[in-house]
Structure formats: structure tokens, C-alpha cells
Amino acid sequence: TYIHHIIKNYKWDDLLATHQSIRLPNKKHILITGKNISFNKITPDNLIKCDLEGNVVDNIKNEVMYQAKNIHCNIYKNNPEINCIVHTH
């Protein structure tokens, strides 16, 4: 979650379409930023766990931006060497 606070501090977020994710050590899941959550309010508890097919497997109370989930999951599936994605606008 530190990356979210850094992005907010430097005003690199657009409050809508900026999103980050990280591949978990098991290589089968990612944590991704939830939809409509201000970056200064991001905590480990409101990150969303998805499998690489984009299915939410944990924290179903928060929603993921559909486009972000598709982009990130496809990058991870096709690039096993990538473990983190930072997408800003």
C-alpha cells in the first residue's frame, strides 16, 4: 500500500483510472486496487485478491475496475517475470 500513498503524495493519481497490482508469491493470485477507493485510504484490508483469470477470490465487498483487472491479469499471465504493475494517468 505504500505505492498508493507515494502516488497520492506526488499527485500522480487521477482519482479514477490509476491502479496498481502485485503478484503474490504463489504466482496464482494478485492483489489489485479496488474501484472508487481514494489512494490515501488504501489499506491491506481493501486490496482485492484475484486469480489470473480475473475472478475475485477474496475481499468480495469491494469492486475492481473491469478494465484494470483484465489488463493486469493478462500481463501477469503472459509475463511470468513481472511481479508488480503500476498504471498511472
Side-chain angles (χ1 to χ4, degrees):
T1 62
Y2 293 119
I3 189 69
H4 298 93
H5 296 283
I6 291 168
I7 289 169
K8 178 72 174 168
N9 182 61
Y10 285 101
K11 298 181 172 122
W12 295 337
D13 64 319
D14 65 354
L15 303 176
L16 176 65
T18 297
H19 41 271
Q20 289 72 47
S21 64
I22 187 166
R23 187 191 306 259
L24 294 176
N26 70 11
K27 302 284 186 182
K28 297 178 184 174
H29 297 99
I30 65 169
L31 292 177
I32 191 166
T33 308
K35 185 177 179 181
N36 297 326
I37 300 173
S38 174
F39 273 35
N40 61 348
K41 297 192 190 292
I42 295 284
T43 67
D45 291 334
N46 56 28
L47 293 175
I48 300 163
K49 184 177 180 181
C50 298
D51 64 21
L52 295 184
E53 299 304 317
N55 301 305
V56 175
V57 296
D58 195 11
N59 197 358
I60 58 173
K61 64 184 176 215
N62 290 316
E63 190 177 344
V64 180
M65 185 183 294
Y66 177 78
Q67 301 89 330
K69 184 171 55 171
N70 283 342
I71 292 167
H72 288 240
C73 288
N74 279 308
I75 290 171
Y76 287 121
K77 281 194 299 189
N78 293 300
N79 301 277
E81 71 281 7
I82 293 177
N83 292 309
C84 179
I85 299 170
V86 177
H87 180 179
T88 63
H89 287 254

